[in-house]
Amino acid sequence: METTTTIEKSIMVVGIDDSEVSFYALNWALDHFFVPFASNSPFKLVVVHAKPFPVKVIGIAGAGVAEVLPIVEADIKRIAAKVVEKAKEICHNKSVDDVIVEVVEGDARNVLCETVEKHHASILVVGSHGYGAIKRAVLGSVSDYCAHHAHCTVMIVKKPKPKH
């Protein structure tokens, strides 16, 4: 009696936003973990975009928020749709069509860590914006947060600086 075992692929989560560095990280992950293996990659790919809450984008509440909110919501949806479309296009152009693309509302730090938990991912890939110390202290680094809080290996992909 023969038994065949199907090997469950590890899950790779790639976090994307509308920045050049996040698409660079997606391309890098595809080029290193998917393209060389053709259709036999060791990973199943989950691409996630954290869509900010409209109230967070507007900032402080006050007069006029009710009028601005629908405009901000529409803008956030439009950006999310563009990000998802571009991610799908990048994957398709590299013949990686077995991909789950998710848009989750919330802070990117929490969304990425929660997506890792939800999919039981073994690796999280994020791009590095390369902020300086002050900007990083004010904005908070998503990659730094994920490196400390995600329950998996975190790969921070940095876009090389152009050589002069």
Side-chain angles (χ1 to χ4, degrees):
M1 185 158 108
E2 279 186 48
T3 55
T4 55
T5 54
T6 54
I7 298 169
E8 189 82 13
K9 289 186 176 190
S10 294
I11 305 292
M12 175 184 288
V13 172
V14 178
I16 56 167
D17 58 18
D18 61 341
S19 71
E20 192 183 323
V21 294
S22 77
F23 290 115
Y24 178 84
L26 175 59
N27 273 299
W28 191 94
L30 292 171
D31 289 343
H32 288 81
F33 294 100
F34 292 87
V35 174
F37 301 97
S39 61
N40 199 25
S41 169
F43 292 99
K44 178 145 181 56
L45 181 62
V46 176
V47 176
V48 65
H49 170 63
K51 189 174 80 167
F53 292 112
V55 178
K56 290 274 189 196
V57 173
I58 295 169
I60 55 170
V65 170
E67 292 82 25
V68 176
L69 201 58
I71 298 164
V72 171
E73 282 178 331
D75 201 40
I76 289 169
K77 279 185 182 163
R78 185 184 52 76
I79 290 167
K82 273 175 50 179
V83 168
V84 165
E85 193 57 41
K86 187 170 181 180
K88 286 181 178 177
E89 186 181 309
I90 289 168
C91 292
H92 180 72
N93 288 344
K94 293 185 185 282
S95 301
V96 179
D97 293 311
D98 186 19
V99 57
I100 297 168
V101 181
E102 298 179 351
V103 175
V104 181
E105 196 169 50
D107 180 85
R109 292 165 258 249
N110 300 328
V111 166
L112 291 173
C113 290
E114 287 163 9
T115 302
V116 162
E117 291 296 310
K118 175 183 156 189
H119 291 284
H120 307 288
S122 56
I123 187 165
L124 170 64
V125 178
V126 291
S128 172
H129 284 275
Y131 293 144
I134 294 170
K135 202 169 187 182
R136 196 170 49 245
V138 173
L139 295 175
S141 166
V142 171
S143 58
D144 190 56
Y145 180 90
C146 291
H148 289 92
H149 295 91
H151 297 289
C152 69
T153 298
V154 177
M155 182 175 300
I156 301 168
V157 178
K158 294 182 178 189
K159 192 169 187 218
K161 288 190 170 143
K163 293 182 174 116
H164 298 287

